[in-house]
Amino acid sequence: MKNRFYTREVKLKAVEKRLAGIPVKDIMEELDIKNESQVYIWYYWHRDGEFHRFDQPIGKQYTYGHGPDEVQNTSDQDRIKQLEMQNEILKKYRELERKWNLK
């Protein structure tokens, strides 16, 4: 079986969908991801702030500060993206909370 390569965009989209509460099976089907554990790994990377790992090549399991130089330049953009995603989730939660409190 050949290793499958997923782009950074696919990985982040999977994490975003998981944070939105979409079941992993649905994410796998929609994004054509073959292994359920892969979605969880990406989710844990995001949760732990290990954004440099989204760009690492297959088979290169380097740790922070030991990878390519360009990896360290993207950390601010990744942190902004993470905070934007968290804000969106909070907005959705507050909207649902308002709906339920009004009824």
Side-chain angles (χ1 to χ4, degrees), residues 4-86:
R4 184 132 186 189
F5 176 76
Y6 299 101
T7 64
R8 176 185 184 81
E9 291 75 25
V10 168
K11 295 173 187 177
L12 289 174
K13 189 71 164 172
V15 169
E16 186 177 333
K17 289 180 175 295
R18 186 67 196 121
L19 288 171
I22 297 173
V24 173
K25 297 285 185 188
D26 294 345
I27 296 169
M28 290 172 56
E29 186 176 312
E30 183 178 334
L31 299 176
D32 195 30
I33 297 169
K34 300 297 180 196
N35 193 336
E36 181 177 351
S37 65
Q38 194 64 67
V39 176
Y40 288 107
I41 289 170
W42 298 334
Y43 172 77
Y44 296 139
W45 289 352
H46 184 273
R47 180 195 67 190
D48 297 339
E50 297 177 346
F51 298 106
H52 63 283
R53 299 184 115 196
F54 287 104
D55 294 316
Q56 71 189 17
I58 294 174
K60 300 292 183 188
Q61 303 300 318
Y62 52 77
T63 57
Y64 185 75
H66 294 92
D69 293 335
E70 68 270 4
V71 168
Q72 295 176 4
N73 295 334
T74 61
S75 63
D76 289 340
Q77 293 170 343
D78 289 333
R79 183 67 179 146
I80 291 169
K81 178 71 174 168
Q82 179 188 29
L83 292 171
E84 287 173 347
M85 288 170 54
Q86 288 175 350

